[in-house]
Amino acid sequence: MFTYAPLMATLHKRKISKVDLQKQTKISSSTLAKIGKDEFVSMKVLNEICDVLHCEIEYIIAHVKEEDHQS
């Protein structure tokens, strides 16, 4: 599974709210909710977030093995 914990940490570090991110990227509130629930979003959305934050993908998403997540 994937987690957006790195994105939350990046936003916190940069003092950017999720609402500010939504406005800057023009993503919908439902997409923002999906990110909050670690659900899948499109590569287009991930690309837009990387562009706006001027960062690499590892600053917004990470892969977590299922067995690591369950424990």
Side-chain angles (χ1 to χ4, degrees):
M1 83 173 275
F2 290 95
T3 180
Y4 297 98
L7 173 61
M8 298 307 132
T10 300
L11 293 177
H12 180 72
K13 249 185 200 173
R14 296 182 184 193
K15 296 181 169 76
I16 300 171
S17 72
K18 289 191 278 186
V19 174
D20 288 339
L21 177 68
Q22 180 186 3
K23 288 177 185 175
Q24 290 177 28
T25 58
K26 298 180 177 74
I27 60 175
S28 69
S29 57
S30 62
T31 299
L32 190 61
K34 284 182 177 184
I35 290 171
K37 297 176 191 172
D38 287 336
E39 295 179 358
F40 293 110
V41 298
S42 73
M43 290 298 292
K44 182 179 178 182
V45 168
L46 298 177
N47 183 62
E48 183 67 25
I49 293 170
C50 286
D51 285 347
V52 166
L53 295 178
H54 306 288
C55 68
E56 298 297 323
I57 192 80
E58 60 267 16
Y59 288 92
I60 62 170
I61 194 168
H63 180 258
V64 179
K65 292 181 184 177
E66 287 292 329
E67 60 268 11
D68 292 343
H69 178 69
Q70 293 173 359
S71 50

